[in-house]
Structure formats: structure tokens, C-alpha cells
Amino acid sequence: MKTLLFFSIPLLFIPLVWSGYLEYNQDVLIPEGWTHAGRVDPSEELELTFALKQQNVHLLEETLRLVSDPDSAQYGKYLSLEEVASLVRPSEMTQKVVRRWLQSHGVSNCLTVHTQDFMQCTMTAEVAENLLQGSRFHHYVRDGQSLIRSSAPYSVHDDVHQHLDFVGGLHRFPPKQQEPREKRQNFKAGLHLGVTPAILRARYNLTAADVGSAQNNSQAVAQFLEQYFHPADLTEFMNLFGRTFPHMSQVDRVVGTQGGGKAGLEASLDVEYIMSTGANISTWVFTNPGRHESQEPFLQWMVLLSNMSDLPWVHTISYGDDEDSLSTAYMTRINMEFMKAGVRGISLLFASGDSGAGCRHLGKEKNSFRPSFPASSPYVTTVGGTSFKNPYKVTYEVTDYISGGGFSNVFKMPDYQVSAVQGYLKSVKATLPPQSYFNTSGRAYPDMAALSDNYWVVSNRVPIPWVSGTSASTPVVGGMLSLINGQRLLKGLPALGFLNPRLYKLKGQALFDVTEGCHLSCLDEQVQGKGFCAAPSWDPVTGWGTPNYPELLAALLTK
């Protein structure tokens, strides 16, 4: 297993002449729940991440389109990490300007990644505040978690601004952890009492033989927000629920540091269901609490992807934040990182969220729906949620009312989905929410879905019933895509990579269409808590529907 390590870079002192400043992040809002715990001592060390401007952004996007389109001659001809680095590596000028700027402030303890588009530098708070004019670092606490963030916007000299996308570790607070929901139901004799691996295999038509066998196949989950899994829980889960099919009971690799204390329900759910659906496939866990209070775990994971030459083919992530809480510059750069993964043949799946269409209060009794990111990124596959029509039987599926979905207010609708989304908007025009609530020209999500309601999970050695959320459906879909990757690799075909262009060309083939139910939204007079509703073909609650595994396998084995 070849893994590229961070390496230090020499910073030569060359005087700079500055001509002005440009401010980043004009509005800094401290999210609800975080409590100020005092100013940071000037001598306290911080670790900040500098995102350097990349080259060939449009060429990267075009390359992703070509390697992901099954009708392209370039389909499946993925790039190595070295080739990606050659494509996007910041210009010599950008690297020199940023290095000189840092050195002129006495910053020399820096690491970079293989693609040279991220630098992580350690410095004192006093140096950081001089470097990033206007920043003021403070301690904040919430639920026992401590962070260092700046309470004020920062600015950099305009000579440097044109060479930086953003500086990480200043303003972004982690979103409030949405634990999967637990709910109680009355049991009925003779009927199933919740979703288990056996129930999923029955619904999606996987047999006991549908398990991994390819040696060069692997999958991963990524966990943030102080979430950890316990190996003993995974063993117990497989003892209880994995006896009818070959499986692994241990994670092959943990990247990062597992924290102590109790297992998180979210982390347990992710690992147990990607490994029972994508059974018998080597599985990695990325667990990144951050090495320092000033780090951002999600950004740390993205940096890791830019620095590892050998990665699993499928990654599932149950993480998101409100689009409007993030800067466009930050999200645009994260999209670049998603594209870098896609051109390497990596499939990134994100949960669509558990807030339906969401709701943002704009004042004076005016509301709008509230899309989530990265679910709204055009460069990932977003997974929504469903429920059984009868919660006690393996029946057809309807929408899970919490299933996140809607339209981005930042990113335009990608070409691969225009026909499908416009078809939906036209077919349900009479019953759509008011157009003031959503952006009809934005990236629409989710792309597909799976059951997200009433799961069994083992956490802290205790079997827990009735756990729900799109953090359940996402690893289930990820596991099935890993199985398909395994079959493709055995046939000498490349991994699926960025799935969406191919998924939308299937036009619902090989998926169970979900046509009943709506998800939740703003509780106001106009929409009265109702967001979008499912409809034939694609819809912004369940996407194209849920996988019919044998048919999806056949459809995705043709090229």
C-alpha cells in the first residue's frame, strides 16, 4: 500500500511590496450552541490550511465529463494522482508569492501535499493575527467540544488574494451533529421488526452469493464530528445479522485516530451497513477529529484525498451543512476536490440530509427552502431516503418525510440532469411549492435513494432498533456500488467513478421508482410544512428511486 506522506517545503525570504488588502468572509456568525470561552493566548499555536489557486480548472472539469460519460471514448480512462497533480498544481508564481508572504511573517513550519494546492502551517495566534489582518482568535465550546476560531473577518494583501481560494481554520464551525433518529413502534406478531441486512437483501434482490470477491476492490466511510466506531460492535452486529452471507467482521484500515469513549450511533451505522451490503469487501474508515482545535475535520479529509496515491473506489459520507452558512469560494474549491477524486475513478456518495427541503427564515414572515452542501454539489452522488409503505412488511417504498432534497442556490444545474429535472418541474407544475422558495435552475438533488427508516444498529455492544436517517441509506447504496465495482474489476472493466452522468442516462432503468409521499419543509401559511413530492421518474425527494441490484448490476456491466 503506497501512501504519500506530507512533506515540508523550504521557504526563502524575499521582500514583498504590498499595495492593498482584500477581505474574506464579510459576515462571521457564531452558530447557536457555541459559547465563547475567552481569547486565545498570543503564544498558543494554531494550524491553518491555505488553499492555493489551482491551474486548469476548466480542463479538470472537462476531463471529469469525458471519463464519466459512457458514450465518450475516454470513459473509464482515469488519471493517477501524479497526473492530477500535473494538471492542477498551482503555478510557480502562485507558490512563490504565497511562500514569500508566509516567510515575510516568520511562518516557516509548513507542510504541503502531493498536488501542492494545500499548505498546512503552524504558527502562534499572534503571528496568525498579523498575517490575516482583522482576525481575532477565541476559544469556543459546545457539548464538551472545544474549538479555536476567529470572531472577525480577515483580509490579505491583494497581491496574495489572487493566489488563494481561502484559509481554513478561521471561521467554519462544524455543523450540529444530527444523530440518526431513534423511534419506538408497537410490535406486531409475525412481521419483521425493523430493517436488517437480511431485509435489505430481500428488498433489493441481493442473494447470499452477492458478496465481494475481487482482490483489488475496497470501500470507505468517512467520519467527522467526534464520531467513532468500536470494532467489538461490528463483530457483534455481524454475529447477529450477518450469518446468511459471507462477510468480514473487521475493518481493514483506519486512517486517522479513533477517539476514546463511547461509540457514536452514526459511526456504528455507517460501518455496519456498508460492510453488510458491500459484504466481503475490504473496508477503510477515515476518522478525523483533527490534530488541533483550529483544524476543520472535513477539510482535513479532503486534504488527505489529495495526498494518498492508493484509495478505496467508493466513499460514503453522512455529513452536511446549510449552503448559506458557507462561502461560495469555499464550496467552489471543495467542488474542485470532488472533481479531483472523480477523475481518479473514485465514487463519492453523500447523504442528502434529514431536514426535507429545509427552511430558512428570511424575516417578515418570509421563508425559503434551505439546501445542504455537499449534497448540492454537482460532482457527487447524493442519496435520499425511503420507508416501506407498510413498516412491518417488505413492501414497495414511499418517501421518508425527512429525506433531504431540493435545488442549490449556488451551483447551476449540470447538463447531465437538465432533461430529467425539467421533466419533473413540468409534470408537477400545478402542485409545486411557490417558486420564491427554491431555485429552479440550480443543481437538483438527490440522485437516488434507499431505505432510511427503522434500522437495527449495534452500538456500545447494545442492539438498538428503529434508527433512521439518510446516514443509513447512503452506506447501503455505497455497498451495492462496491459490489458492482467488484464485478466490473473481475471483467477487466474500470471502476464506476463519478456515477451521475451514467445514472441519468439510465433514465430510471434498474431502479424501483418511488412515486408516493412528500418531505417536510417550512411550517408557514404558504407551504404548511410540505416540501417537494415524489413523482414518476426523477424527483427531488428520492431521485431516480432505489436500487434493484441484479438489474443495476447488469446495466452497469456493459462498458
Side-chain angles (χ1 to χ4, degrees), residues 165-358:
D165 284 325
F166 65 84
V167 181
L170 277 93
H171 295 146
R172 280 174 296 283
F173 285 75
K176 181 74 173 176
Q177 176 64 37
Q178 272 200 333
E179 281 283 326
R181 297 170 296 138
E182 292 181 59
K183 57 186 184 181
R184 303 293 175 204
Q185 307 229 359
N186 295 320
F187 293 152
K188 294 186 179 180
L191 303 170
H192 84 74
L193 303 178
V195 173
T196 64
I199 295 296
L200 290 167
R201 286 178 169 265
R203 170 57 187 157
Y204 298 132
N205 294 320
L206 288 94
T207 69
D210 288 318
V211 297
S213 58
Q215 294 301 306
N216 53 343
N217 194 21
S218 56
Q219 59 191 1
V221 297
Q223 298 165 353
F224 317 107
L225 309 180
E226 307 296 325
Q227 278 279 326
Y228 313 108
F229 84 100
H230 283 180
D233 291 340
L234 176 60
T235 301
E236 180 67 12
F237 178 84
M238 290 302 187
N239 283 338
L240 288 171
F241 301 117
R243 294 182 178 182
T244 60
F245 52 90
H247 61 267
M248 296 180 179
S249 295
Q250 289 185 323
V251 165
D252 266 357
R253 184 171 178 186
V254 175
V255 182
T257 305
Q258 280 267 93
K262 288 187 174 182
L265 192 58
E266 171 84 65
S268 304
L269 175 66
D270 288 350
V271 173
E272 289 164 10
Y273 278 92
I274 198 170
M275 290 187 68
S276 55
T277 310
N280 222 39
I281 295 174
S282 172
T283 302
W284 297 20
V285 173
F286 286 82
T287 176
N288 201 336
R291 296 191 300 272
H292 190 277
E293 288 176 278
S294 61
Q295 288 188 336
E296 299 175 34
F298 178 73
L299 182 58
Q300 287 296 111
W301 172 71
M302 294 263 58
V303 171
L304 269 177
L305 296 191
S306 282
N307 211 39
M308 299 180 73
S309 59
D310 192 2
L311 286 168
W313 292 115
V314 172
H315 296 243
T316 76
I317 305 100
S318 304
Y319 175 90
D321 210 347
D322 297 327
E323 252 189 10
D324 58 83
S325 72
L326 302 167
S327 73
T328 299
Y330 172 80
M331 291 186 286
T332 299
R333 175 55 186 266
I334 295 299
N335 276 342
M336 286 290 297
E337 302 310 305
F338 294 153
M339 284 190 267
K340 283 164 57 180
V343 297
R344 295 172 65 188
I346 295 167
S347 303
L348 298 178
L349 279 67
F350 278 86
S352 69
D354 296 345
S355 302

Side-chain angles (χ1 to χ4, degrees), residues 204 314-318 348-354 374-376 380-386 402-405 443 445-452 455 469-481 499-500 503 540-547:
Y204 298 132
V314 172
H315 296 243
T316 76
I317 305 100
S318 304
L348 298 178
L349 279 67
F350 278 86
S352 69
D354 296 345
S376 65
V380 303
T381 298
T382 304
V383 182
T386 62
I402 55 92
S403 179
R443 171 0 182 187
Y445 69 96
D447 303 300
M448 58 191 304
L451 285 161
S452 57
Y455 278 64
T470 54
S471 48
S473 54
T474 307
V476 167
V477 172
M480 279 188 261
L481 293 182
L499 182 66
N500 288 13
L503 176 67
V541 189
T542 61
W544 285 107
T546 63

Side-chain angles (χ1 to χ4, degrees), residues 195 199-200 202-204 384-390 393-400 449-453 455 473 476 480 511-517 534 542 545-548:
V195 173
I199 295 296
L200 290 167
R203 170 57 187 157
Y204 298 132
T386 62
S387 304
F388 282 124
K389 175 68 172 177
N390 181 331
K393 291 185 177 181
V394 180
T395 58
Y396 69 92
E397 292 162 77
V398 298
T399 64
D400 187 346
L451 285 161
S452 57
D453 202 24
Y455 278 64
S473 54
V476 167
M480 279 188 261
L511 292 111
F512 295 113
D513 197 5
V514 179
T515 60
E516 286 185 30
T542 61
T546 63
N548 183 352

Side-chain angles (χ1 to χ4, degrees), residues 456-475:
W456 280 90
V457 179
V458 174
S459 191
N460 300 298
R461 305 299 294 272
V462 177
I464 301 171
W466 313 111
V467 176
S468 302
T470 54
S471 48
S473 54
T474 307

